[in-house]
């Protein structure tokens, strides 16, 4: 089966309890509200890709519990192709449990569950008959699954976008397979040891990352924008972020990666132009309340840019 994008990554059930103030250690208290949301970087990126109308499949894992069934249902409601989502036996679905106080500050714990249980064999079987132009992945599934997927995608000649989030020890090993990496400021700092306080610092970091063995690096700088370094052209471009009133910055990078992957699979598009469109998509997400429902469609991004 041939797709435009295969996106691989984490699937989590996010549960949030809303309180006035964080409890003290050992304290019991009444909460104001409770919310469950579909999350995980992989799922966020898959929703973004589905909303760009691109032919895709999502490779990930859920457990054989009720959350797993709910997650598949939620992903299907978002028009995501879940044919490649694996159900792992005797495993819990990835779960994030968080507390949010009145100021919006949050503390949460993540149980990786099925995401961490993905094996090399799972990936080999899932990708056996699949092909695509672009392969997008991040670092929230098991080390074995990431490295195996990278090897197979590279062998099949896919264009590999690696979003090194969260930054983990395997980045340098993984980098050798990627065509494009998209770290945020903190990830780029950890990867290079360079403190990033300016576009110049980000440029230095992007060049350092490219030296580690990848052609293209985009260093994302939140509300400032992003630096695009294309080593084959020796070109550095700064793409300014769109000015919006930020109400929820969660998932900005996931929307960025999803739009970028969709565009690069569709058109012979320049990386800088694709970054401009991805930035507009992220800005729209940041300006809205909510989770997956707040991720913009292709049409919304086009209208926003006109
Ligand atoms: P991550 O979510 O991976 O930490 P960033 O926070 O750097 O990544 O955001 C990714 C991209 O989203 C930025 O490069 C920018 O284009 C856009 N973005 C993020 N925050 C804002 C904001 N407050 N206003 C406008 N655009 C934003």
């Amino acid at each position: 089966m041939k797709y435009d994008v295969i996106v691989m990554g984490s699937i989590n059930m996010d549960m949030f309890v809303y309180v006035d103030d964080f409890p003290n250690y050992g304290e019991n208290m009444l909460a104001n509200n409770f919310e469950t949301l579909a999350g995980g970087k992989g799922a966020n990126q898959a929703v973004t890709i589905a909303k760009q109308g691109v032919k895709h499949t999502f490779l990930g894992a859920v457990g054989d519990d009720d959350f797993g069934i709910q997650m598949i249902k939620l992903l299907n409601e978002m028009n995501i192709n879940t044919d490649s989502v694996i159900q792992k036996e005797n495993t819990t679905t990835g779960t994030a449990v968080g507390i949010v106080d009145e100021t919006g500050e949050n503390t949460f714990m993540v149980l990786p569950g099925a995401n961490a249980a993905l094996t090399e064999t799972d990936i080999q079987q899932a990708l056996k008959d699949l092909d695509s132009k672009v392969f997008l992945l991040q670092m929230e599934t098991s080390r074995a699954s990431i490295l195996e997927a990278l090897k197979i995608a590279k062998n099949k000649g896919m264009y590999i976008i690696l979003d090194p989030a969260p930054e983990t020890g395997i980045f340098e090993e993984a980098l050798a397979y990627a065509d494009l990496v998209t770290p945020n400021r903190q990830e780029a700092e950890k990867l290079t040891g360079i403190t990033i306080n300016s576009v110049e610092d980000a440029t230095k970091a992007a060049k350092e990352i490219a030296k580690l063995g990848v052609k293209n690096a985009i260093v994302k700088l939140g509300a400032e924008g992003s630096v695009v370094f294309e080593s084959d052209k020796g070109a550095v471009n700064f793409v300014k972020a769109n000015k919006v009133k930020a109400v929820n910055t969660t998932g900005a990078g996931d929307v960025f990666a999803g739009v970028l992957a969709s565009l690069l699979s569709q058109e012979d598009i320049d990386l800088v132009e694709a970054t401009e469109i991805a930035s507009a998509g992220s800005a729209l997400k940041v300006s809205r309340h909510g989770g997956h429902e707040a991720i913009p469609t292709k049409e919304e991004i086009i209208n926003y840019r006109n």
Side-chain angles (χ1 to χ4, degrees), residues 41 45 163 165 182-187 218-227 238-257 275-276 278-287 304:
K41 285 181 173 298
Q45 296 183 359
D163 187 16
T182 57
N184 67 13
R185 185 195 310 259
Q186 292 78 15
E187 289 147 9
I218 300 178
V219 176
K220 299 172 295 182
L221 301 173
E224 287 166 60
S226 36
V227 170
F238 175 59
V239 174
K240 234 171 136 37
N242 299 75
K243 270 219 165 342
V244 290
K245 186 173 180 306
V247 297
N248 178 5
T249 57
T250 314
D254 295 333
V255 172
F256 187 93
T275 303
E276 287 165 1
S279 303
S282 307
L284 262 179
K285 167 71 181 71
V286 161
S287 72
Y304 175 69

Side-chain angles (χ1 to χ4, degrees), residues 44-45 47-54 242 244 251-252 254-263 267 269 273-288 294-306:
N44 296 343
Q45 296 183 359
V47 173
T48 307
I49 290 163
K51 289 199 182 191
Q52 308 313 300
V54 165
N242 299 75
V244 290
D254 295 333
V255 172
F256 187 93
V259 174
L260 203 58
S262 301
L263 290 168
E267 299 151 41
I269 191 171
E273 194 189 343
T275 303
E276 287 165 1
I277 300 171
S279 303
S282 307
L284 262 179
K285 167 71 181 71
V286 161
S287 72
R288 296 171 170 174
I295 294 177
T297 62
K298 181 180 181 179
E299 287 68 35
E300 286 172 331
I301 298 173
I302 291 171
N303 289 338
Y304 175 69
R305 279 172 45 88
N306 285 335

Side-chain angles (χ1 to χ4, degrees), residues 8-297:
M8 171 175 143
S10 54
I11 303 174
N12 290 332
M13 184 61 94
D14 294 344
M15 290 177 276
F16 289 102
V17 174
Y18 292 84
V19 296
D20 295 332
D21 270 319
F22 282 100
N24 294 317
Y25 182 72
E27 184 184 353
N28 297 323
M29 65 165 20
L30 285 175
N32 301 326
N33 202 0
F34 174 69
E35 188 178 34
T36 57
L37 291 170
K41 285 181 173 298
N44 296 343
Q45 296 183 359
V47 173
T48 307
I49 290 163
K51 289 199 182 191
Q52 308 313 300
V54 165
K55 191 175 174 206
H56 69 280
T57 191
F58 179 28
L59 171 52
V62 294
D64 55 355
D65 49 4
D66 287 346
F67 281 166
I69 295 164
Q70 277 181 49
M71 284 303 311
I72 299 276
K73 187 165 167 278
L74 287 169
L75 295 174
N76 285 330
E77 281 168 9
M78 286 283 164
N79 296 317
I80 294 170
N81 176 340
T82 55
D83 292 351
S84 311
V85 174
I86 298 163
Q87 195 187 46
K88 299 288 292 178
E89 277 179 24
N90 302 319
T91 309
T92 51
T93 297
T95 311
V97 181
I99 305 179
V100 186
D101 76 6
E102 243 183 357
T103 69
E105 185 61 69
N106 62 68
T107 292
F108 62 93
M109 294 136 285
V110 179
L111 178 82
N115 300 307
L118 271 172
T119 62
E120 279 178 15
T121 314
D122 290 332
I123 300 302
Q124 286 159 6
Q125 279 172 0
L127 290 177
K128 190 159 52 90
D129 299 320
L130 299 187
D131 205 350
S132 79
K133 294 180 197 154
V134 171
F135 192 88
L136 169 64
L137 79 170
Q138 353 67 38
M139 317 286 249
E140 283 187 337
T141 61
S142 68
R143 176 193 169 90
S145 69
I146 293 168
L147 291 175
E148 190 60 21
L150 285 166
K151 278 180 206 156
I152 297 172
K154 179 97 179 164
N155 266 337
K156 294 196 182 202
M158 302 179 203
Y159 183 90
I160 299 173
I161 306 176
L162 177 65
D163 187 16
E167 200 282 315
T168 60
I170 67 165
F171 179 69
E172 285 197 26
E173 205 177 333
L175 195 66
Y177 297 94
D179 295 285
L180 167 65
V181 288
T182 57
N184 67 13
R185 185 195 310 259
Q186 292 78 15
E187 289 147 9
E189 285 184 345
K190 271 199 198 161
L191 293 167
T192 61
I194 296 171
T195 305
I196 301 177
N197 289 318
S198 64
V199 170
E200 287 68 36
D201 295 337
T203 304
K204 244 190 265 169
K207 289 183 174 172
E208 277 305 309
I209 291 168
K211 269 195 214 152
L212 297 172
V214 64
K215 227 174 25 215
N216 306 301
I218 300 178
V219 176
K220 299 172 295 182
L221 301 173
E224 287 166 60
S226 36
V227 170
V228 184
F229 177 58
E230 296 167 276
S231 66
D232 49 354
K233 296 185 190 165
V236 177
N237 284 281
F238 175 59
V239 174
K240 234 171 136 37
N242 299 75
K243 270 219 165 342
V244 290
K245 186 173 180 306
V247 297
N248 178 5
T249 57
T250 314
D254 295 333
V255 172
F256 187 93
V259 174
L260 203 58
S262 301
L263 290 168
L264 294 175
S265 78
Q266 292 300 294
E267 299 151 41
D268 193 13
I269 191 171
D270 179 78
L271 188 57
V272 176
E273 194 189 343
T275 303
E276 287 165 1
I277 300 171
S279 303
S282 307
L284 262 179
K285 167 71 181 71
V286 161
S287 72
R288 296 171 170 174
H289 290 283
H292 286 173
E293 70 282 7
I295 294 177
T297 62

